[in-house]
Each structure stands twice: as structure tokens, then as C-alpha cells.
């Protein structure tokens, strides 16, 4: 990589806090129904922004968009770090600020009260574009959106049809991503996979439909053709758990990404258990068990504003455990049955 000299660091004594450092590069994106402005000291830091949020489907807002502001600052290249990959982000809070820290030269400071954030990235960290995008920039965007728009952040996915959606919840490895993939291939509306944001007042689910992350073993259920090649030729990313997944870009035109939030009609906890009979794939959860399962599945969301309202509203809907069928298409059919039955009942 060519040497990059961040502007504004020529006289560190005169401006030790970089308060007069210019941000000559800017980009504005509509994300999660809000307006995000990114100001940067160097164009290289706008590349992961474009990679994450460029070309997203846009809905037509019915009211002015909430606005958020991120400052992206490039810091000087450091001596070769003594790690094979960047260490995990450490989180901290205080004085109304939220922080995500990789090290002294790579961190995020979020002032959600003022709807602003600072993201600092060192030159050498640009050699790790996935970590810059996913663990620094997207981290800041998601926290600002959740706190600033009173959305509940969930680890899961969401599929739907005709403006209605079903949450896909469950432990990592249970098969949420594979189910989301086949729902997409079968023509369902895809909201997002990995991070879903729910408004507990309206029970509408939204997300960033940019990437789908699936393991290589998911390809065995896909016939040879353009769809399989699209996934198999996608870049791979390595999660902190060590699991490697394809990162398939949904903006290449495969499947239908929802252009507006979906009104939730229920949720399924995806299970790795295989159903003996496909007629028994969906197991209704007792009303008294729903809150317990949600708390165990979403520990971070359970501590956020709006959690109790969300649990109450979801408990009034259809919540099931979804066991696997012989093929993921059977699971997609089960999801469709939930959406159809709710549609008929509410008509």
C-alpha cells in the first residue's frame, strides 16, 4: 500500500487534539431509514462506507429522516503490530459516551445523545478492510441508529412477504443464515441477516440488506447455476469464532431485498434438531416460555430500552421452535405457512 500522510498532523504541538484537522471528503447515505453523513480526513476511509452502504434499496420516507454524523479520521501507520489479526473490540462507557477500542490507534467514540461518532483508523489497519468496516464503522452506525431511533437491536434475521415478516432467532450455528439464504432464493422478501432492528412501538423490523453470510456446507442444497456460482465466487470472511463464511453481496441482483420495514407477525427459534416428520417442524411455544427463551437468546437487547414492550408485543403473536426438514425449502414452506395463516386470520 502506498504511504498515506493524514492531513492536519504537521504541527502536533499547535493542535494536540486535532480540533482543526480538516475533513475534506464527505459522503451521505440513507441507512435504516436515517440520514448518515460521513466526513473523512482521507478518501480511503470512505471505501468501507461505500462497500457497506452503497447501492442499498431505498424506500420513500413519509417524514423527515433522522440525521447522524460520523467523523472518520486516519491516523499514522504504526510499526508492524504483534498480532496475526486485529484484537477484538473492547467496549467501555462513561460521561454519556460509548467506546469501542481495538488499540490506541483504532477506536470508536459514540456520543449518542448528540447523534455523532468519531472513528479513528490507523494506516496499517486499512490492510484489514473487513474489520474496519464491520467492527468499527458498522459498529458506530448501528449503535447510533439503535439509540437515536429507539430501535431494539437483535441478533437474528428476518424474512417476509406482502409487508409482513417473521424473525429468525436462535443460537449461532442453528441454521439461521442457511434458512435466510433459501428464503431469498424462494422469492421471500429479505430484510437482513445477522442484525435486525425492531421498533417496539410498531413492531416493524428493518435491517441493512447488503450481505448474506453462509458457510460452504450450505452450497450442497443449491443446484448448479448462477445462484451457486454467485455465492461460491464471493469473498470469504472469518468470524471471531473462527468460522469462515462466504460474504455474498445482495446488491448484485440476486433475490429481493425489502425496501421498507416489515410488520412482524411472529418469530421462530431456529433449531438444529431434525424433525422426524415435516408436519412437526413447527412447535408452538407456550406463552409463559416465550419471555424466557427471548432473554436467553438476546442478552444484549434485554438490557436496552424497549425490551419489555417488545417481549409483550411478540408474546401476543405466533412464536414457534422451527426444527429442520430434509431440505431447507421445507423450512421456507413452514415460514410461509405462518405468514399466510396470520394474513388470513387478520383479513
Amino acid at each position: 500500500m502506498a504511504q498515506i500522510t493524514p492531513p492536519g498532523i504537521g504541527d502536533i504541538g499547535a493542535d494536540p487534539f486535532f480540533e482543526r484537522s480538516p475533513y475534506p471528503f464527505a459522503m451521505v447515505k440513507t441507512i435504516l431509514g436515517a440520514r448518515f453523513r460521513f466526513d473523512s480526513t482521507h478518501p480511503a476511509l470512505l471505501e468501507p462506507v461505500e462497500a457497506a452502504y452503497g447501492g442499498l434499496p431505498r424506500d420513500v420516507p413519509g417524514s423527515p429522516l433522522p440525521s447522524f454524523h460520523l467523523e472518520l479520521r486516519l491516523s499514522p501507520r504504526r510499526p508492524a503490530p504483534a498480532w496475526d489479526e486485529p484484537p477484538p473490540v473492547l467496549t467501555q462507557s462513561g460521561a454519556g459516551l460509548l467506546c469501542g477500542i481495538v488499540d490506541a490507534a483504532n477506536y470508536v467514540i459514540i456520543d449518542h445523545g448528540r447523534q455523532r461518532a468519531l472513528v479513528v483508523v490507523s494506516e496499517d489497519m486499512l490492510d484489514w478492510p473487513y474489520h474496519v468496516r464491520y467492527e468499527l464503522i458498522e459498529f458506530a452506525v448501528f449503535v447510533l441508529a439503535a439509540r437515536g431511533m429507539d430501535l431494539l437491536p437483535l441478533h437474528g434475521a428476518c424474512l417476509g412477504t406482502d409487508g409482513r415478516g417473521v424473525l429468525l432467532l436462535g443460537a449461532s450455528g442453528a441454521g439461521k443464515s442457511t434458512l435466510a439464504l433459501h428464503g431469498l432464493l424462494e422469492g421471500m422478501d429479505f430484510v437482513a441477516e445477522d442484525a435486525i432492528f425492531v421498533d417496539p412501538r410498531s413492531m416493524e423490523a428493518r435491517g441493512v440488506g447488503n450481505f448474506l453470510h453462509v458457510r460452504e456446507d450450505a452450497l450442497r442444497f443449491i443446484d448448479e447455476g448462477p445462484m451457486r456460482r454467485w455465492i461460491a465466487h464471493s469473498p470469504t470472511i472469518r468470524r471471531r469464532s473462527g468460522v469462515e463464511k462466504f460474504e455474498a453481496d445482495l446488491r448484485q441482483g440476486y433475490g429481493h431485498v425489502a425496501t421498507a420495514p416489515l410488520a412482524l407477525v411472529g418469530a421462530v427459534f431456529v433449531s438444529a434438531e431434525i424433525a422426524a416428520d415435516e408436519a412437526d417442524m413447527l412447535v408452538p411455544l407456550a406463552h409463559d416460555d416465550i419471555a424466557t427463551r427471548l432473554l436467553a437468546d438476546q442478552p444484549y437487547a434485554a438490557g436496552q430500552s424497549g425490551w419489555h414492550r417488545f417481549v409483550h408485543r411478540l408474546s401476543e403473536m405466533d412464536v414457534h421452535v422451527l426444527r429442520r426438514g430434509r431440505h431447507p425449502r421445507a423450512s421456507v414452506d413452514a415460514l410461509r405457512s405462518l405468514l399466510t395463516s396470520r394474513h388470513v386470520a387478520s383479513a
Side-chain angles (χ1 to χ4, degrees), residues 102-176:
V102 175
D103 60 19
N106 297 277
Y107 53 88
V108 179
I109 301 174
I110 302 169
D111 184 347
H112 55 90
R114 297 176 60 205
Q115 302 187 157
R116 301 173 68 92
L118 169 68
V119 180
V120 177
V121 178
S122 62
E123 284 185 43
D124 49 284
M125 189 70 168
L126 294 177
D127 296 334
W128 303 88
Y130 170 73
H131 293 275
V132 172
R133 169 172 62 82
Y134 184 72
E135 297 186 333
L136 295 175
I137 293 175
E138 291 190 48
F139 171 73
V141 167
F142 284 171
V143 170
L144 283 174
R147 299 295 177 95
M149 300 168 67
D150 294 323
L151 302 175
L152 193 65
L154 301 173
H155 175 60
C158 184
L159 294 169
T161 57
D162 299 325
R164 294 172 171 81
V166 175
L167 284 175
L168 312 182
L169 306 174
S172 296
K176 298 187 298 294

Side-chain angles (χ1 to χ4, degrees), residues 20 24 41 46 49 73 97 125 132 261 290 330 332 343:
R20 296 188 295 278
T41 61
L46 294 180
V49 175
R73 182 179 296 164
L97 304 175
M125 189 70 168
V132 172
I290 294 174
V332 175
H343 174 68

Side-chain angles (χ1 to χ4, degrees), residues 91-93 98-99 110 112 139-140 142-148 151-155 194-197 293-308 310:
T91 54
Q92 188 58 267
S93 66
L98 301 175
C99 303
I110 302 169
H112 55 90
F139 171 73
F142 284 171
V143 170
L144 283 174
R147 299 295 177 95
L151 302 175
L152 193 65
L154 301 173
H155 175 60
D194 193 33
I196 297 294
F197 297 83
R293 289 292 295 263
L294 286 170
L295 178 61
D297 191 68
Q298 304 290 330
Y300 174 73
Q304 304 305 305
S305 173
W307 171 255
H308 295 293
F310 164 75

Side-chain angles (χ1 to χ4, degrees), residues 73-297:
R73 182 179 296 164
L74 191 67
S75 62
R77 177 175 291 276
R78 303 164 301 163
W83 27 261
D84 295 329
E85 71 171 344
V89 174
L90 301 177
T91 54
Q92 188 58 267
S93 66
L97 304 175
L98 301 175
C99 303
I101 305 162
V102 175
D103 60 19
N106 297 277
Y107 53 88
V108 179
I109 301 174
I110 302 169
D111 184 347
H112 55 90
R114 297 176 60 205
Q115 302 187 157
R116 301 173 68 92
L118 169 68
V119 180
V120 177
V121 178
S122 62
E123 284 185 43
D124 49 284
M125 189 70 168
L126 294 177
D127 296 334
W128 303 88
Y130 170 73
H131 293 275
V132 172
R133 169 172 62 82
Y134 184 72
E135 297 186 333
L136 295 175
I137 293 175
E138 291 190 48
F139 171 73
V141 167
F142 284 171
V143 170
L144 283 174
R147 299 295 177 95
M149 300 168 67
D150 294 323
L151 302 175
L152 193 65
L154 301 173
H155 175 60
C158 184
L159 294 169
T161 57
D162 299 325
R164 294 172 171 81
V166 175
L167 284 175
L168 312 182
L169 306 174
S172 296
K176 298 187 298 294
S177 297
T178 299
L179 179 53
L181 166 63
H182 284 272
L184 184 80
L185 299 182
E186 294 293 317
M188 298 187 76
D189 293 334
F190 178 95
V191 176
E193 166 267 328
D194 193 33
I196 297 294
F197 297 83
V198 175
D199 186 333
R201 298 155 296 191
S202 65
M203 291 301 284
E204 291 182 331
R206 66 186 71 201
V208 179
N210 48 8
F211 298 109
L212 177 65
H213 300 95
V214 293
R215 289 162 46 152
E216 186 175 10
D217 59 6
L219 294 178
R220 71 184 188 274
F221 296 111
I222 304 175
D223 296 335
E224 290 291 343
M227 292 287 192
R228 185 184 177 102
R229 290 193 294 272
W230 162 56
I231 297 172
H233 294 162
S234 297
T236 58
I237 57 98
R238 184 175 180 272
R239 296 291 200 194
R240 289 292 184 181
S241 63
V243 174
E244 291 190 353
K245 292 190 173 186
F246 292 111
E247 186 173 67
D249 194 333
L250 295 165
R251 293 160 291 184
Q252 295 180 1
Y254 293 99
H256 184 263
V257 177
T259 57
L262 298 186
L264 292 177
V265 300
V268 297
F269 288 91
V270 180
S271 171
E273 180 185 357
I274 299 175
D277 188 318
E278 289 189 357
D280 298 324
M281 292 177 61
L282 283 171
V283 181
L285 270 179
H287 184 273
D288 293 342
D289 294 336
I290 294 174
T292 302
R293 289 292 295 263
L294 286 170
L295 178 61
D297 191 68

